[in-house]
Amino acid sequence: MSVTEYDDTDEQAIGSKWVTAIAIVMIVLGIIAIVFPFFATIASTVLFGWLFILAGISQIAYAFQSRGTGQFVWKIILGLLYLLSGIFVMLNPLEGAVAFTIVLGITIFLQGMIQVSLAFQMRWISFNWGWMLASGLMGIIFGIFIWSSSPLRAVWFIGTLIGINLLFDGIWMLTLHSGEKITISREI
């Protein structure tokens, strides 16, 4: 058994105004996405299309900037791949939504796995760790459900699941970081 003196203890405020604001924004966006799932699906697909276009332009610029360091052709190919993928999604957002379904399912599933793991680590730090656990379990279930769904359901299904995921993420962030003070002791 070790004795921890007061000097070896950090008191940390978990809550902050930024975390609360972000949590509330996530809850509001989640509700909007649940109410308007088609628009949430198209908006998220178009957002990823733009991100791919920007990543492609950045990769191509990087390839030309680092031309002397080698592997120029591979950097250009990667940049063109990003760029063409982004353009495809922007020109065909409904078809992009079907492809996005697969990526989103994997992402939400992995996010759920990570949140479940973190929730069990947080159970000694916060009394509200159960919300993070619930969010993680829902992410795992939604990820599996997305993989097993028909691509024709992707148009409304993605938006609904994004909304539910944002809503639960916002709730656990709001409750977990509710401004409680905790004491974290360091072992010497």
Side-chain angles (χ1 to χ4, degrees):
M1 183 169 133
S2 67
V3 176
T4 305
E5 298 197 18
Y6 187 76
D7 292 339
D8 297 329
T9 304
D10 290 332
E11 193 168 292
Q12 178 178 359
I14 296 292
S16 78
K17 292 178 183 175
W18 282 105
V19 172
T20 302
I22 291 169
I24 291 170
V25 167
M26 288 178 73
I27 290 169
V28 169
L29 289 175
I31 292 169
I32 291 170
I34 291 168
V35 173
F36 302 107
F38 176 78
F39 296 113
T41 299
I42 298 303
S44 60
T45 303
V46 169
L47 175 68
F48 273 95
W50 278 112
L51 290 175
F52 273 45
I53 289 171
L54 292 174
I57 292 169
S58 298
Q59 181 66 34
I60 291 169
Y62 170 71
F64 281 107
Q65 185 180 22
S66 64
R67 185 176 230 165
T69 62
Q71 310 223 343
F72 174 76
V73 173
W74 288 110
K75 294 174 189 174
I76 290 290
I77 290 172
L78 181 61
L80 289 174
L81 182 64
Y82 276 127
L83 187 62
L84 293 175
S85 297
I87 291 170
F88 171 78
V89 169
M90 295 301 291
L91 294 176
N92 305 304
L94 291 176
E95 292 175 14
V98 173
F100 186 50
T101 302
I102 297 167
V103 174
L104 183 68
I106 292 169
T107 302
I108 289 177
F109 178 80
L110 292 175
Q111 175 191 9
M113 296 288 286
I114 292 168
Q115 282 182 346
V116 166
S117 174
L118 289 173
F120 283 112
Q121 293 174 15
M122 296 293 292
R123 71 177 177 222
W124 305 113
I125 298 174
S126 176
F127 294 112
N128 297 323
W129 67 277
W131 282 103
M132 182 186 275
L133 178 65
S135 176
L137 291 173
M138 293 208 41
I140 292 170
I141 293 168
F142 288 158
I144 292 170
F145 197 61
I146 289 172
W147 291 340
S148 65
S149 71
S150 165
L152 298 176
R153 290 193 221 166
V155 176
W156 68 269
F157 192 62
I158 291 174
T160 303
L161 291 181
I162 287 173
I164 292 170
N165 196 43
L166 283 170
L167 180 67
F168 271 87
D169 283 350
I171 289 171
W172 78 253
M173 285 177 69
L174 194 61
T175 59
L176 187 69
H177 301 288
S178 60
E180 64 191 40
K181 293 216 187 246
I182 59 166
T183 302
I184 302 172
S185 62
R186 293 180 281 171
E187 300 290 326
I188 297 180

